[in-house]
Amino acid sequence: MEKLLGEFSIGLFFWQSILFIALLLLLRKYAWKPILNAVSEREEGIKNALASAESAKREMENLQADNEKLLKEARAERDAMMKDARELKAKMVADARDEAKVEADKMITNAQAAIESEKKAAIADIKNQVASLSLEIAEKVVKEELSNTDKQLKLVETMLGDAKLN
Amino acid sequence: MQKQTLVKILFILTIAFGTFSCTDKMDNSEEAKAERKKEVSEYVKHHNLDTHDFTLYSYKGEDGKDHSIGFPLPVILWSDGLHVFSSGKFHHGEEVVESNGKYFALDTHSYKIFETDQTGKISYDEDHHATNVKPLDFSITKSVFMIIVVGLIMFFLFRGLAKSYVKNGSIASGPGRFFEPIVLYIRDDIAIPNIGVEKHKRYMPFLLTVFFFVWFLNLFGLTPLGINVTGNIAITTALAIMTFLLTNFTGTKDYWKHIFDPLGDSMPWIAKIPLYIILIPIEVLGIFIKPFSLLIRLYANMQAGHIVLGSLLGLIYVFNSWLGGTLSFGLSFAISLIELLVAALQAYIFTMLSALYFGFASESHDHAEEHEGEIQHL
């Protein structure tokens, strides 16, 4: 202990304290603060860059997911539209067919009715003609009768033969 | 293959130099060996002392006298007035220097300056201590010179590092670059774990300065220049006192509460009295023991390293045989490697323990924070 105290130099202690404090203050101002600030700034920068890269990646993923979703929606919409169109087409065809059928039926009915009425008219006409022919025949027969029986008979026959379904 | 050859060459050179250093010119009688032992011991002792001049190399000249190559340093003394002169005037303790009517002589034994009469006689007591009046010595000694050198090196090195961040876009360049990981290590593995993220910034300049200061001076101590700054009790005392002052001046309420009321609310005050009669003196003593252990640890480690290395190198001359020389060389080489580690280790330990003490000083307990939170909440 005495040796230690003997070795202790007040001058050296004095200089060491002064110089060390001076060095500490100088380094603090000109070295340590700028160094530590630069390092922490750099670390902050790296952290931020990593975070922004991460967020950009996530954004990209989101964007991609959005695109995917949009595409899917568009496809679904197209499919729906196609389906609608197909249904519409089928319906229109069916409608047209129904309408045509109704029209045709109506026309057929009309035609039948017309044919019926024509037929009726024709029959009535034939009846009339047959009546008038009969009358004429009867008239002629009567007239022939009046001249010659044979002739009258013959006449009737020919007349009938003429009148046979012309 | 190349490595093996290199190792072989180194080994042969070691033996060769070890042998050559033990010349036949030396007397190998027992008395001569004992004389050399004493010489070596003196040499090692002197090497560890602070001197007033910077000796790079010394040799025994043709005239049988010791010559040394180096340069003198300024001597600054206070004894009823300021006395400033060059230490070269002492001529290594051979001459008396007159300054402002006072006479000073250099004691070649302790390398201290004493006031003397005109003849320069220094009287000694029975313990071989000089009894002359000792002036207040504020000289720029070898240690002070080395502190300035290391200070300049550190300033320019780290100033350069700081500037390189600005110049190079936040990326270190230049020689300071090597030290950036160490700076980060001190921040991330010494300061933050011990002090905490919020408060560590305040102590960083001191921790960094003290680490590099001690480390660089330790490394300079391993050069053959005979520098032993960190192995000087005055230096380590100054450093430890700074840690002490920083610890206690930045101490929080909790730090002082921990010292004077270590048990807190865990028991009634009446039960604490007998315990505190013992506890408080221990805690108060602890304030001083902590930095004291710092100063003794650094001093003893560095001093011991220098003594061991010096003694092992001196053994070459004591043995004066090829075997002893080679073995001493090998041993001192191994110790040098260990000292290289110790140089960094002691700097680390000093910084680490300082950080630990700062951590104690700046701690604020969790329950205290909770209370504060409650008050704010209310």
Side-chain angles (χ1 to χ4, degrees):
Chain A
M1 199 63 208
E2 200 191 331
K3 189 176 168 286
L4 275 186
L5 286 177
E7 263 183 45
F8 189 90
S9 155
I10 291 171
L12 190 55
F13 177 79
F14 166 79
W15 282 116
Q16 158 69 9
S17 304
I18 296 281
L19 289 172
F20 188 83
I21 289 171
L23 182 67
L24 178 62
L25 294 178
L26 275 176
L27 280 178
R28 186 172 74 169
K29 181 154 197 282
Y30 290 107
W32 303 132
K33 280 207 170 140
I35 288 173
L36 291 173
N37 284 344
V39 166
S40 54
E41 234 168 67
R42 190 179 60 192
E43 278 165 359
E44 209 61 32
I46 291 170
K47 216 180 278 171
N48 287 347
L50 281 176
S52 64
E54 187 64 28
S55 75
K57 200 179 138 199
R58 207 167 300 130
E59 227 162 81
M60 269 302 272
E61 269 166 14
N62 281 349
L63 221 63
Q64 231 153 16
D66 278 358
N67 281 351
E68 200 77 9
K69 208 172 123 204
L70 272 174
L71 210 66
K72 212 180 264 174
E73 270 173 17
R75 215 172 268 148
E77 207 168 322
R78 190 198 65 182
D79 284 353
M81 277 165 79
M82 292 272 280
K83 199 174 150 217
D84 280 357
R86 217 174 279 133
E87 271 168 13
L88 195 66
K89 187 190 91 178
K91 194 169 164 256
M92 273 168 76
V93 169
D95 283 356
R97 189 177 291 143
D98 286 352
E99 220 167 285
K101 202 174 167 222
V102 168
E103 196 75 12
D105 283 353
K106 208 164 123 192
M107 277 167 75
I108 289 169
T109 318
N110 283 349
Q112 274 171 345
I115 289 167
E116 200 62 33
S117 66
E118 288 287 317
K119 200 172 118 187
K120 271 182 188 153
I123 289 170
D125 199 31
I126 287 170
K127 274 184 184 158
N128 283 345
Q129 278 184 10
V130 168
S132 58
L133 267 173
S134 309
L135 275 176
E136 272 173 35
I137 291 163
E139 196 187 316
K140 276 172 183 171
V141 168
V142 169
K143 265 178 196 168
E144 256 335 95
E145 209 68 20
L146 294 168
S147 56
N148 190 347
T149 326
D150 285 348
K151 267 187 187 170
Q152 281 173 349
L153 278 172
K154 222 175 149 183
L155 186 73
V156 169
E157 255 171 61
T158 46
M159 288 285 234
L160 276 172
D162 282 353
K164 214 182 261 176
L165 297 167
N166 51 339
Chain B
M1 194 62 205
Q2 257 183 344
K3 218 172 165 185
Q4 276 183 359
T5 320
L6 201 71
V7 168
K8 273 179 200 159
I9 289 172
L10 272 176
F11 188 64
I12 289 165
L13 279 178
T14 306
I15 294 179
F17 280 123
T19 311
F20 276 125
S21 62
C22 308
T23 53
D24 291 337
K25 268 191 260 171
M26 282 189 189
D27 190 359
N28 259 355
S29 69
E30 284 301 313
E31 296 88 57
K33 273 195 179 175
E35 181 61 32
R36 281 207 295 273
K37 241 185 233 174
K38 232 176 145 189
E39 241 174 70
V40 164
S41 138
E42 279 297 303
Y43 185 82
V44 171
K45 231 185 254 172
H46 280 174
H47 161 91
N48 284 329
L49 288 176
D50 198 9
T51 58
H52 284 86
D53 54 6
F54 202 106
T55 311
L56 295 170
Y57 175 69
S58 66
Y59 61 96
K60 208 163 227 161
E62 293 294 318
D63 51 358
K65 281 184 177 172
D66 281 325
H67 292 266
S68 60
I69 294 169
F71 48 89
L73 293 164
V75 173
I76 303 162
L77 300 172
W78 180 268
S79 173
D80 301 332
L82 197 64
H83 306 273
V84 182
F85 51 90
S86 162
S87 74
K89 283 188 181 172
F90 283 124
H91 289 101
H92 305 293
E94 283 158 16
E95 283 177 29
V96 184
V97 178
E98 189 268 333
S99 168
N100 294 342
K102 293 229 174 199
Y103 295 92
F104 300 102
L106 184 68
D107 176 21
T108 50
H109 205 73
S110 62
Y111 284 109
K112 293 240 156 85
I113 295 169
F114 291 99
E115 257 177 65
T116 58
D117 53 13
Q118 220 162 340
T119 55
K121 194 174 169 297
I122 298 171
S123 44
Y124 298 96
D125 60 9
E126 60 268 25
D127 294 331
H128 215 74
H129 289 305
T131 51
N132 292 46
V133 179
K134 235 174 98 183
L136 273 178
D137 186 353
F138 292 109
S139 309
I140 307 295
T141 58
K142 186 157 81 172
S143 294
V144 177
F145 179 76
M146 278 319 295
I147 291 166
I148 295 170
V149 168
V150 166
L152 287 177
I153 290 174
M154 276 172 75
F155 182 75
F156 286 113
L157 191 64
F158 292 113
R159 179 89 192 108
L161 178 62
K163 271 186 183 162
S164 77
Y165 284 117
V166 181
K167 253 187 293 176
N168 213 11
S170 283
I171 293 170
S173 65
R177 190 178 181 172
F178 174 71
F179 297 99
E180 191 202 284
I182 301 173
V183 172
L184 290 181
Y185 178 79
I186 290 170
R187 189 193 62 176
D188 295 337
D189 288 285
I190 294 179
I192 291 178
N194 285 313
I195 303 170
V197 183
E198 307 91 38
K199 288 180 174 169
H200 81 280
K201 273 192 183 143
R202 226 159 126 196
Y203 301 104
M204 277 308 286
F206 178 77
L207 293 175
L208 286 167
T209 313
V210 94
F211 177 82
F212 286 108
F213 185 78
V214 172
W215 188 33
F216 286 178
L217 279 173
N218 286 351
L219 287 179
F220 270 110
L222 290 177
T223 58
L225 296 172
I227 298 151
N228 182 25
V229 184
T230 40
N232 191 309
I233 192 89
I235 302 289
T236 58
T237 305
L239 288 174
I241 283 178
M242 267 172 251
T243 299
F244 171 78
L245 293 178
L246 260 177
T247 308
N248 290 301
F249 277 116
T250 59
T252 56
K253 212 169 79 187
D254 281 308
Y255 170 70
W256 293 110
K257 196 181 166 227
H258 186 80
I259 289 165
F260 292 108
D261 187 17
L263 295 172
D265 304 329
S266 61
M267 51 175 71
W269 65 272
I270 194 86
K272 286 197 282 189
I273 290 172
L275 284 171
Y276 278 8
I277 291 170
I278 306 165
L279 273 181
I280 289 176
I282 290 174
E283 291 283 350
V284 171
L285 216 57
I287 303 173
F288 299 98
I289 288 173
K290 281 172 192 165
F292 187 71
S293 75
L294 274 184
L295 83 91
I296 289 295
R297 184 183 299 108
L298 182 58
Y299 161 76
N301 270 289
M302 296 329 289
Q303 182 82 330
H306 280 255
I307 290 171
V308 167
L309 256 183
S311 308
L312 283 173
L313 285 171
L315 273 184
I316 297 173
Y317 302 98
V318 173
F319 281 129
N320 196 25
S321 69
W322 72 270
L323 186 65
T326 310
L327 283 179
S328 303
F329 178 84
L331 209 55
S332 52
F333 179 69
I335 295 290
S336 293
L337 291 183
I338 291 174
E339 281 298 309
L340 212 57
L341 177 73
V342 168
L345 194 67
Q346 287 307 320
Y348 168 76
I349 289 173
F350 198 100
T351 315
M352 181 76 184
L353 289 175
S354 292
L356 194 67
Y357 301 155
F358 296 155
F360 291 149
S362 61
E363 77 184 326
S364 40
H365 292 299
D366 287 341
H367 59 80
E369 276 164 14
E370 273 169 26
H371 288 310
E372 276 169 22
E374 275 168 25
I375 290 160
Q376 277 169 7
H377 192 71
L378 289 169

